[in-house]
């Protein structure tokens, strides 16, 4: 009997976010070169030098991967991973991730080690697995998307990071400061399955990451394994009540709070009402995977029709989910 021929391992085209600093880029490059050389895997490294070159660099890597029937690999935080994943999904290209951010929800959910050598080892021994993707007005998100307070929190967090450095403690402190100064409410109509519901909220958070939803104690976390997204809406509350909600979330008990509403869906349309209705004539600030974008109303959230083909090592784990 003839031995079965093994399918060639795909060439890997790494996209490294140069915004993390030259020292970090050099360290990542050295780790990649060492791991790929030891494994004898064909590869190439692309470095995003600045934000203005991001689109060009990613598309160059995508074309190279398509020519070689290979995979593109994002090396960076959730924002970088989102950007590269969107391009990979659009081109139907295999995708890999080497998480290097602060929270790394996407990588942690899929069991990808946070230490770079471990992540590279998993990448070399992984296989393509379909992963659910969320979408808002055709902009994808892997972890979450939101309007209202949460985008403001992310902008403040970035300012704090630039001043005090990147750490989870700095992120927590910036969130507290945002809660003290932000008191804007949003009136909106939610359209789902032909039914419209009107309500006022401080923030609408759409989750596609089981780990993040589990950590704050939302039962809708399980829905991400059932082809759905999870919505969390926070009713208008004062500053101290908002801090108390944050504490409940940190303790994994957010779903017990009377000012929080959670539900699951596959498709949801958000229509601005009241003063916020003017947003229909202009753009709305939306946060997707930690990055701020501006979109026109109405906002249409849904599960993307095609999954992302993520190269990962299969493990029997409760976190092995979207």
């Amino acid at each position: 009997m003839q031995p079965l021929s093994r399918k060639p391992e795909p060439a890997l085209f790494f996209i490294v976010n140069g915004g993390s600093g030259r020292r970090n880029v050099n360290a990542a490059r050295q780790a990649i070169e060492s791991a790929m050389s030891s494994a004898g895997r064909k590869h190439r490294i692309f470095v995003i030098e600045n934000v203005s070159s991001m689109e060009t660099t990613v598309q160059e890597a995508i074309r190279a991967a398509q020519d070689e029937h290979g995979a593109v690999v994002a090396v960076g935080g959730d924002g970088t991973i989102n950007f590269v994943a969107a391009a990979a999904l659009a081109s139907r290209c295999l995708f890999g991730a080497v998480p290097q951010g602060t929270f790394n929800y996407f990588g942690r959910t899929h069991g990808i080690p946070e230490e770079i050598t471990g992540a590279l080892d998993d990448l070399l021994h992984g296989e393509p697995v379909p992963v659910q993707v969320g979408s808002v007005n055709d902009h994808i998100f892997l972890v979450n998307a939101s309007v209202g307070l949460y985008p403001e929190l992310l902008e403040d967090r970035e300012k704090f990071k630039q001043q005090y450095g990147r750490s989870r403690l700095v992120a927590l402190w910036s969130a507290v400061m945002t809660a003290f100064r932000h008191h804007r409410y949003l009136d909106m109509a939610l359209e789902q399955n032909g039914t419209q519901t009107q309500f006022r909220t401080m923030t609408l958070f759409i989750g596609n990451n089981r780990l993040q939803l589990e950590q704050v104690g939302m039962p809708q976390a399980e829905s991400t394994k059932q082809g759905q997204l999870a919505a969390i809406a926070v009713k208008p509350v004062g500053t101290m009540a908002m801090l108390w909600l944050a504490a409940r979330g940190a303790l994994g008990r957010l779903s017990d709070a009377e000012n929080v509403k959670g539900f699951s869906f596959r498709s949801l349309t958000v229509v601005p009402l009241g003063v916020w209705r003017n947003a229909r004539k202009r753009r709305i600030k939306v946060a997707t995977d930690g990055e701020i974008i501006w979109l026109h109303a109405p906002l249409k959230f849904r599960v993307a029709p095609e999954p992302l083909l993520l190269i990962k090592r299969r493990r029997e784990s409760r976190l092995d989910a979207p």
Side-chain angles (χ1 to χ4, degrees):
M1 178 182 291
Q2 291 285 343
L4 293 175
S5 59
R6 185 179 179 183
K7 188 176 181 180
E9 295 174 326
L12 300 175
F13 296 84
F14 294 88
I15 302 172
V16 182
N17 185 357
S20 59
R22 181 54 54 185
R23 179 179 298 180
N24 291 335
V25 170
N26 289 339
R29 185 190 291 273
Q30 291 174 8
I32 293 169
E33 294 285 5
S34 177
M36 297 302 108
S37 177
S38 296
R41 182 70 69 90
K42 185 175 182 180
H43 70 285
R44 184 177 170 187
I45 299 174
F46 298 79
V47 178
I48 301 171
E49 298 294 347
N50 50 59
V51 175
S52 62
S53 68
M54 194 167 190
E55 178 69 31
T56 301
T57 303
V58 171
Q59 288 304 318
E60 184 182 356
I62 289 287
R63 287 192 295 271
Q66 289 177 317
D67 290 342
E68 296 283 347
H69 301 288
V72 288
V73 182
V75 183
D78 283 333
T80 301
I81 290 173
N82 172 293
F83 194 92
V84 179
L89 186 64
S91 61
R92 297 188 175 181
C93 192
L94 291 179
F95 175 75
V98 178
Q100 298 283 286
T102 303
F103 292 98
N104 296 326
Y105 278 117
F106 180 77
R108 289 161 59 200
T109 293
H110 293 286
I112 302 173
E114 294 190 64
E115 197 271 323
I116 190 169
T117 56
L120 291 169
D121 185 65
D122 270 25
L123 185 65
L124 288 167
H125 297 92
E127 58 185 278
V129 176
V131 170
Q132 177 175 293
V133 175
S135 170
V136 52
N137 291 17
D138 296 325
H139 291 262
I140 78 160
F141 56 94
L142 304 176
V143 180
N144 61 57
S146 59
V147 295
L149 176 62
Y150 196 70
E152 299 294 335
L153 184 153
L154 292 177
E155 286 192 324
D156 289 347
R157 187 173 76 187
E158 192 59 33
K159 294 175 183 177
F160 270 69
K161 284 181 178 179
Q162 291 176 3
Q163 186 173 358
Y164 300 110
R166 294 182 177 272
S167 73
R168 295 179 185 181
L169 182 60
V170 170
L172 176 61
W173 177 243
S174 70
V176 172
M177 298 303 294
T178 303
F180 270 103
R181 74 167 182 81
H182 188 91
H183 297 284
R184 183 184 176 191
Y185 305 142
L186 305 177
D187 291 302
M188 61 179 66
L190 301 184
E191 298 177 356
Q192 182 184 12
N193 300 325
T195 302
Q196 186 179 94
T197 304
Q198 297 184 11
F199 71 100
R200 172 174 289 184
T201 181
M202 295 185 71
T203 191
L204 177 66
F205 179 95
I206 308 298
N208 184 47
N209 184 274
R210 183 182 179 189
L211 173 62
Q212 188 178 47
L213 293 165
E214 283 182 341
Q215 284 187 338
V216 298
M218 295 302 294
Q220 288 77 22
E222 194 68 20
S223 66
T224 60
K225 290 190 66 177
Q226 301 166 355
Q228 296 182 306
L229 300 173
I232 303 174
V234 179
K235 298 177 183 178
V237 295
T239 299
M240 296 309 297
M242 175 58 68
L243 293 176
W244 175 237
L245 287 177
R248 294 182 73 93
L251 295 171
R253 298 179 56 189
L254 190 61
S255 64
D256 297 335
E258 61 180 14
N259 293 314
V260 174
K261 176 183 179 181
F263 59 94
S264 302
F265 67 91
R266 284 192 60 85
S267 179
L268 178 71
T269 299
V270 177
V271 181
L273 299 176
V275 175
W276 199 39
R277 186 189 299 271
N278 292 330
R280 293 191 186 198
K281 300 178 182 179
R282 52 185 171 81
R283 299 180 301 167
I284 300 171
K285 185 188 297 183
V286 182
T288 56
D289 292 349
E291 302 296 321
I292 303 298
I293 59 176
W294 293 86
L295 302 175
H296 289 284
L299 300 178
K300 298 181 179 181
F301 296 93
R302 64 170 181 161
V303 174
E306 296 292 331
L308 179 69
L309 292 179
L310 172 68
I311 299 176
K312 58 182 283 190
R313 177 173 277 172
R314 288 187 179 272
R315 291 186 175 91
E316 291 298 326
S317 169
R318 75 183 190 89
L319 296 182
D320 194 14

